[in-house]
Amino acid sequence: MIAVLSGGTGTPKLLQGLKEVIDPSELTIVVNTLENDYFAGVYVSADIDTVLYTMADLINDELWYGIKDDTFITHEQLEDIGCPELLRIGDKDRATKIQKTLLMEKYDLAKACEIQAKNMGLTCRVIPMSNENSDIKIITDIGELEFHDFLIKHQSQPEVLDVKFSKVAPVEDIIDVINNSDAVIIGPSNPITSILPIISLEGIIEALKNTHVIAVSPIIGSGAVSGPASKFMKALDVDVSAVGVASLYNEFLNTMVIDTKDDDKKIEVNQIVNKVIVTNTIMNNLDAKKNLAKIIIENIP
Ligand code: GDP
């Protein structure tokens, strides 16, 4: 069994490759919930839905958000009646979110995800990192912002001075999942707002120390492939490089995968982690995703 720690863009690309290379029933994906909140009356767990849709081949993988070929009739109608919503939620995607909201009247988030994964015919497990909502604030040069306001309203433009999030309890299963896994893959996700929240959960670092952990750098050269990861890393005084990513995970990391363009950083990364793999990590087509997944699987002892 292999556990994967995931956010909502970089790691799902890798999941598209992994599910072609190994039997998906071998995968348990632990997903970030830091950004979860209610929007326009529905519970939005964007990263979880992205992982569910990715594994079900439904994902809009241009945006890494929502269902491919979705329509936006309700979104536009909400705007027309003077009730615009911050997130652009598609009609089919909204149905998933309404279902999750209704399920959560009866069950916790983990159970709601389990039911939805089953409905989508998935054989892998998808577990939210926590059933509790986090309080996340992006401290910027224009003031303290809610995460989605920073990301969407302000298009990640403000200078970031700090990132703060509250402590939440892990979903109980996660420690067992990690303890029983042959390896844990930390996908190329935002180290600060996707992975740090998961590894900050009580007991996770101790569990990670007892298994083989292999991470892929979301940073190539001195920048992120996409999104605001560099800004967040800079704000927390983490070097914006594969070296900085390795240093964040150094307590438990066994193998680090860095991009071919970072070959010159291999020695420095090797001072932090035992094994360094240099390969193409840009996943812009299915072959690249499968190749990277294959290399990772082959390097699990
Ligand atoms: P979020 O939840 O949407 O922020 O998504 P994630 O946290 O899963 O992923 C964001 C990170 O994925 C960014 O820091 C990107 O640099 C990284 N990323 C996206 N695509 C790729 C890729 O093809 N290769 C690598 N190495 N990193 C990627």
Side-chain angles (χ1 to χ4, degrees), residues 2 182-185 212 214 255 275 295-301:
I2 291 171
D182 300 305
V184 174
I185 299 170
H212 189 93
I214 179 161
T255 303
K275 188 167 169 185
I295 289 170
I296 292 171
I297 298 298
E298 282 168 358
N299 278 280
I300 292 172

Side-chain angles (χ1 to χ4, degrees), residues 7-11 13 47 188-190 194 217-218 224-226 229 281-283:
T9 306
T11 307
K13 290 184 189 176
D47 289 359
S189 277
N190 188 319
S194 292
S217 177
V225 178
S226 60
T281 68
I282 295 279
M283 294 175 282

Side-chain angles (χ1 to χ4, degrees), residues 174-195:
I174 297 178
I175 305 285
D176 280 347
V177 163
I178 295 175
N179 282 336
N180 295 323
S181 63
D182 300 305
V184 174
I185 299 170
I186 302 184
S189 277
N190 188 319
I192 308 301
T193 51
S194 292
I195 303 301

Side-chain angles (χ1 to χ4, degrees), residues 12-44:
K13 290 184 189 176
L14 180 62
L15 288 171
Q16 286 182 324
L18 277 169
K19 75 189 193 56
E20 299 298 319
V21 168
I22 58 168
D23 185 339
S25 65
E26 289 287 303
L27 291 171
T28 298
I29 306 144
V30 177
V31 190
N32 168 44
T33 57
L34 189 75
E35 305 146 34
N36 292 10
D37 211 342
Y38 283 87
F39 291 91
V42 290
Y43 188 74
V44 175

